[in-house]
Amino acid sequence: MKLRDRILAHLRQRHYRPQDIKALGHSLALNKKERNSLKFEIRQLLSKGSIVHVQGDRLALAGEDDTRTGKIMFRQGGSAFVILDPLPGRAGANAIDEPAIQIAPEDTGVALHGDKVLVKISPQMSRARNGRPPEPTGRVVSVAERESNTVVGNLTRIRNKFYVNVDDPRFVQDIAVGDPAASGIKPVPGPGDKVVVALAEWTARHKPLEGKITQCLGKTFEPGAELAGILIKHNLDPKFPADVEREVAALPSEVAATQLPGRLDYRDTPTFTIDPDDAKDFDDALSIETLDNDETRVGIHIADVSNYVRPGTSLDREARKRGNSTYLVGTVIPMLPQKLSNGLCSLVEGQDRLCKAVFLTFDKKLRITNTTFASTVIRSRKRLTYKQAYAFMFENSIAKIRALPVPPAHQTGSTGRALKELTDLELVDLQHWLRSLWKIAAKLRRERMAHGSLDLDMPETKIFVDEKGYADRLERIENDESHQLIEEFMLAANEAVARLTRAHKLVSLYRVHDEPDEDKLIEYQKVLATAGVEAGDLTQRKEIVKVLAALEKHPQGYVLRSQLLRSLKKACYRATPDGHYGLAKKDYTHFTSPIRRYSDLVVHRVLAYYLIKHAGHPVPADYKFGYSAGSMASLGEHLSLTETNSAEAERESVKIKTLEFFERELSKKKKTKFDAVITDVRGAGLFIELTESMSFGFINKDSFAGDVYFPNASNTAFVGRKTKKYLKVGEHITVVVKKVDRFKRQMDFAMV
């Protein structure tokens, strides 16, 4: 039996009493070699949350003695909650959603936002409030691991002392720092600068939290300083190590003829890309061919990144470490250097590019009759934006289509040719191909929804920046038919590859979405009831489908759909084909974005292995597959974490730029009027959502002129004391921005 298993077995014994590491070694009768390994094994078990420290430095299984490990998340008011780590044997597909442990401000100890903590669970439940049921409570016993030893914030001065207010408003402690003049940083940071602070050890709650300034990023709220703060907080680096740059420099600038043997030549077949206005890289392209017997073959061509990024290279190790590209407002932190992400791998218009492809053949009734896989070489005929594609799909006037602009050059990796430069024949061809593809995609979508796939796509707010990096325009992006066209073919390709790898029992990565937890769905059902939405048994897929349909026209639809997403489990990467609940698919993986997701690059390598072993493709000179079930499982866990980190950075970037946009609105002489919907009523005022930008704000009751308003008994409306006027949840109102607090990240509005 391995030492780790012996440790766990000993701790599971019925009569075990917590021991320190020295006593544990004696109890296990370890030899000298094993005693040397004991500390390492204990550290590993502690970091995984399998065991915990209790009664000081003594050890026990997690969950014993009413203690558990988990991640603490603070609220702005100082209270917190702990998301518990899974118990041993209950991770992955076996995970059980447990309620978070609520922690009062005075019970948070020396924990900081995001730390891994040991929490002692109390038998006392919290009281029900704001429609939330009673929840378990506890107190922090100790901090097992700091999320970060550095923070970013705004430097302030009070009399002769200096403090840093951390950017994240959930970080409730100010940090005492020494005189910046003694930091050695030139120029010397001053009040109003955004700085990086290395935290000192914090051992007692009654003592101040201290730190040392290590870097000055510039003036707080300037675009460059705000971006630098996000990069540091989320450990993102726009630069690549020197050894990676050297490897990339040695790659060719163009596709060479020597790389074409064994590839299907699709350079003369109608092929094009459809992407957002501000796309930096282009992973995927579609081709369309008419075959005999009225059949149509659609090719989903995906950039063959695996041809250039080889296992074992510095380039591959760095891509794996990053896990994915991170798309911040106005910029991208790429997974791959620009020569690849925006150049050799990007399927730009008019250039030869290498791809891996899935070919779907449809009969005249638009049923899939054949699926094949191949390596290809393509030459995209046109880089289309979604707006341009939508016009080709539904606008009959070629003159109106031709008048559509290209996206601004500073916002995108490639503008493509302007439509006005294309001939009438080229425009008519594009119109015909896109309408033919949409006819197929629309049927795929209808069948997918009929099979129970959840329509979880929601409009998003795109923030565009000016050439200086300031937010100057918000645009609501709907998931219209041009987006759906691309989505359906990408889903079909992902499903086809997953089905192939599962059927051939190939070691691979899968995109997994587990069944939701019943308790979470019951809670969500109560939330729906308060919003006047009737729902049946949400453990039945058809009932969730009905709810989603009802929310399409509900005034709080966006908020309620967002809450549904939070009630479902989070999709992740796993080495086992455990299915995708949201899409109602047994087989699903990520294959279509290898420029920006390492998971897709790995799946490309798996497909290449299949093509070599089963389809007779030539074997590259230095070919080695190199994946095992164990290494793939570990990789899935790593990529799920990097994805979460990037998503958090992207959300923070959007929040900062949204605040920046509305702060700039304050300086305008003529105030912009915004349509908003009332989402909640509280004693202090109304919470609102702006319908166009989907931003959230608050209207203080003191801002209402001419009357005094108060909430009704059910908290569903504000009522004027004199006028008896009702302002109800779900009602549309017109507002102007009144106040923006960049530090608290809050916005106040006033009714017009």
Side-chain angles (χ1 to χ4, degrees):
M1 185 184 292
K2 292 181 179 178
L3 178 56
R4 190 173 303 184
D5 296 329
R6 289 172 62 191
I7 295 168
L8 292 172
H10 180 70
L11 269 60
R12 289 191 190 105
Q13 288 180 359
R14 184 177 176 184
H15 300 293
Y16 173 75
R17 293 291 178 268
Q19 298 174 298
D20 61 21
I21 192 168
K22 184 176 180 180
L24 182 62
H26 285 302
S27 297
L28 292 172
L30 301 181
N31 59 39
K32 184 177 180 180
K33 182 178 179 182
E34 289 172 327
R35 285 198 301 273
N36 291 335
S37 302
L38 181 60
K39 287 185 179 180
F40 171 78
E41 296 295 345
I42 293 297
R43 281 199 304 272
Q44 293 294 103
L45 289 168
L46 285 169
S47 67
K48 290 176 180 287
S50 301
I51 65 175
V52 295
H53 277 123
V54 297
Q55 302 168 26
D57 59 353
R58 301 189 179 196
L59 300 162
L61 286 174
E64 302 288 331
D65 193 34
D66 296 323
T67 55
R68 294 281 297 278
T69 57
K71 185 174 185 177
I72 189 166
M73 309 296 284
F74 278 80
R75 304 181 182 93
Q76 288 193 32
S79 66
F81 58 94
V82 174
I83 302 169
L84 297 175
D85 292 332
L87 289 168
R90 290 292 179 88
N94 299 316
I96 296 175
D97 279 344
E98 298 180 87
I101 309 302
Q102 302 300 316
I103 313 291
E106 63 271 18
D107 291 328
T108 56
V110 293
L112 301 173
H113 182 72
D115 287 349
K116 183 172 184 176
V117 298
L118 177 66
V119 61
K120 185 173 180 64
I121 302 172
S122 167
Q124 184 178 355
M125 301 288 281
S126 67
R127 61 186 177 87
R129 58 181 177 178
N130 296 333
R132 280 165 46 189
E135 296 167 292
T137 62
R139 64 179 177 83
V140 173
V141 176
S142 62
V143 175
E145 184 181 347
R146 287 274 184 232
E147 183 190 44
S148 177
N149 290 316
T150 60
V151 293
V152 178
N154 180 59
L155 180 62
T156 61
R157 180 175 182 170
I158 301 176
R159 296 186 183 89
N160 62 341
K161 294 187 181 296
F162 292 87
Y163 299 89
V164 170
N165 312 122
V166 179
D167 282 351
D168 192 333
R170 295 170 296 182
F171 199 106
V172 295
Q173 289 83 10
D174 288 340
I175 305 167
V177 293
D179 187 342
S183 67
I185 299 172
K186 300 295 182 183
V188 176
D193 281 342
K194 186 175 289 293
V195 295
V196 182
V197 176
L199 297 176
E201 187 176 4
W202 191 32
T203 57
R205 184 173 176 81
H206 66 276
K207 294 181 179 179
L209 176 58
E210 298 178 336
K212 180 182 178 182
I213 297 174
T214 60
Q215 192 176 351
C216 182
L217 305 178
K219 286 294 179 186
T220 296
F221 302 145
E222 287 187 351
E226 294 298 314
L227 173 61
I230 293 174
L231 298 183
I232 289 171
K233 178 179 177 181
H234 296 279
N235 197 27
L236 301 171
D237 192 349
K239 297 181 180 179
F240 287 85
D243 54 346
V244 173
E245 294 287 9
R246 283 194 295 272
E247 287 183 358
V248 172
L251 293 172
S253 299
E254 298 178 351
V255 172
T258 55
Q259 297 174 311
L260 303 187
R263 294 182 179 272
L264 299 181
D265 193 337
Y266 265 69
R267 288 175 290 186
D268 294 328
T269 303
T271 307
F272 44 85
T273 63
I274 305 175
D275 290 277
D277 280 17
D278 61 345
K280 302 296 191 295
D281 47 62
F282 306 90
D283 287 280
D284 55 89
L286 296 177
S287 67
I288 183 168
E289 306 166 86
T290 301
L291 308 178
D292 297 333
N293 304 320
D294 291 327
E295 288 187 319
T296 302
R297 181 161 59 210
V298 177
I300 301 102
H301 302 263
I302 310 299
D304 192 356
V305 177
S306 63
N307 185 76
Y308 304 105
V309 183
R310 300 298 179 91
T313 60
S314 297
L315 176 58
D316 180 58
R317 285 191 293 271
E318 182 66 18
R320 174 179 173 141
K321 174 186 169 185
R322 293 178 179 228
N324 44 262
S325 297
T326 304
Y327 292 86
L328 307 177
V329 176
T331 190
V332 60
I333 310 303
M335 182 181 80
L336 300 172
Q338 192 171 25
K339 183 175 180 178
L340 289 172
S341 61
N342 287 28
L344 197 52
C345 293
S346 191
L347 309 184
V348 293
E349 182 179 323
Q351 297 292 320
D352 291 357
R353 290 293 183 260
L354 305 181
C355 296
K356 286 281 188 291
V358 177
F359 290 99
L360 304 175
T361 302
F362 298 85
D363 64 17
K364 58 185 177 182
K365 292 186 178 180
L366 307 184
R367 297 172 299 196
I368 296 178
T369 59
N370 191 33
T371 303
T372 57
F373 308 86
S375 296
T376 61
V377 56
I378 68 164
R379 184 183 298 146
S380 172
R381 295 197 181 183
K382 189 72 194 80
R383 180 276 206 247
L384 294 171
T385 67
Y386 282 117
K387 294 172 187 174
Q388 292 170 342
Y390 186 89
F392 277 114
M393 293 162 67
F394 300 106
E395 175 58 63
N396 292 322
S397 169
I398 293 298
K400 288 183 179 179
I401 294 173
R402 176 177 273 117
L404 290 172
V406 296
H410 74 276
Q411 291 179 351
T412 180
S414 173
T415 61
R417 290 175 295 161
L419 294 179
K420 63 184 180 182
E421 297 176 10
L422 273 63
T423 66
D424 282 356
L425 179 60
E426 286 178 304
L427 294 173
V428 169
D429 280 343
L430 283 167
Q431 188 180 56
H432 170 69
W433 296 328
L434 279 159
R435 293 183 179 190
S436 298
L437 285 168
W438 173 237
K439 190 175 180 182
I440 297 170
K443 183 171 184 289
L444 290 174
R445 185 174 180 82
R446 288 193 300 270
E447 291 175 346
R448 179 165 66 86
M449 295 304 172
H451 187 59
S453 181
L454 304 182
D455 186 6
L456 297 172
D457 290 315
M458 296 195 295
E460 63 172 299
T461 302
K462 182 80 75 173
I463 304 174
F464 294 92
V465 299
D466 60 22
E467 294 186 3
K468 294 181 179 179
Y470 286 98
D472 69 342
R473 182 166 64 91
L474 303 184
E475 182 179 328
R476 182 182 171 111
I477 307 295
E478 298 284 353
N479 185 45
D480 64 20
E481 290 86 345
S482 64
H483 292 75
Q484 293 167 14
L485 184 155
I486 290 296
E487 180 184 27
E488 292 307 320
F489 286 117
M490 297 305 118
L491 291 175
N494 287 335
E495 183 178 20
V497 174
R499 188 185 299 118
L500 177 81
T501 56
R502 179 183 58 81
H504 287 270
K505 298 181 179 179
L506 302 176
V507 174
S508 190
L509 273 182
Y510 295 89
R511 184 64 169 177
V512 174
H513 189 208
D514 292 320
E515 296 267 341
D517 181 71
E518 185 175 351
D519 290 342
K520 291 284 184 72
L521 294 179
I522 291 172
E523 280 184 39
Y524 180 63
Q525 190 176 34
K526 293 175 182 176
V527 172
L528 290 173
T530 62
V533 179
E534 292 186 11
D537 181 3
L538 295 181
T539 60
Q540 302 298 312
R541 179 182 293 273
K542 64 181 181 180
E543 294 300 324
I544 293 186
V545 172
K546 288 180 184 177
V547 166
L548 286 169
L551 296 182
E552 284 288 338
K553 297 181 180 179
H554 194 281
Q556 293 171 265
Y558 180 80
V559 174
L560 292 171
R561 286 165 72 91
S562 298
Q563 288 176 309
L564 172 59
L565 283 173
R566 289 196 291 271
S567 299
L568 301 178
K569 291 192 176 179
K570 193 176 184 302
C572 64
Y573 295 107
R574 208 175 284 160
T576 49
D578 297 328
H580 197 291
Y581 173 79
L583 294 172
K585 291 185 182 295
K586 178 181 179 181
D587 299 302
Y588 198 66
T589 190
H590 273 170
F591 164 77
T592 54
S593 298
I595 292 177
R596 62 185 178 91
R597 291 192 304 232
Y598 191 82
S599 58
D600 303 48
L601 169 57
V602 170
V603 173
H604 273 232
R605 290 170 177 166
V606 176
L607 179 60
Y609 177 80
Y610 164 81
L611 292 173
I612 290 169
K613 293 293 184 181
H614 300 279
H617 279 222
V619 182
D622 55 349
Y623 180 75
K624 183 181 179 183
F625 181 57
Y627 291 109
S628 66
S631 66
M632 200 68 86
S634 176
L635 182 57
E637 292 176 5
H638 167 70
L639 296 179
S640 296
L641 290 174
T642 61
E643 177 189 38
T644 299
N645 182 63
S646 289
E648 290 174 353
E650 289 163 2
R651 280 194 295 270
E652 184 168 359
S653 173
V654 168
K655 183 68 174 177
I656 287 170
K657 286 298 184 182
T658 301
L659 290 163
E660 181 180 279
F661 173 82
F662 283 102
E663 186 179 56
R664 298 181 89 196
E665 281 288 323
L666 285 172
S667 63
K668 292 182 178 179
K669 290 183 179 180
K670 185 177 180 181
K671 302 296 183 185
T672 304
K673 296 177 182 179
F674 300 97
D675 181 65
V677 63
I678 299 171
T679 60
D680 197 9
V681 174
R682 297 289 174 89
L686 304 173
F687 284 97
I688 61 169
E689 176 196 348
L690 274 59
T691 55
E692 184 65 23
S693 67
M694 294 175 296
S695 305
F696 295 94
F698 186 72
I699 302 178
N700 193 292
K701 67 177 183 180
D702 296 334
S703 69
F704 291 103
D707 203 351
V708 176
Y709 282 80
F710 58 92
N712 64 359
S714 60
N715 275 346
T716 57
F718 243 28
V719 185
R721 181 170 292 167
K722 291 187 297 185
T723 62
K724 304 302 180 186
K725 180 180 178 181
Y726 271 68
L727 294 170
K728 297 179 292 185
V729 169
E731 184 176 338
H732 282 259
I733 56 177
T734 303
V735 299
V736 293
V737 64
K738 183 180 179 183
K739 178 184 176 184
V740 176
D741 190 326
R742 296 285 297 270
F743 293 107
K744 292 183 178 179
R745 297 185 177 178
Q746 295 172 345
M747 296 187 292
D748 285 359
F749 291 83
M751 281 185 60
V752 175

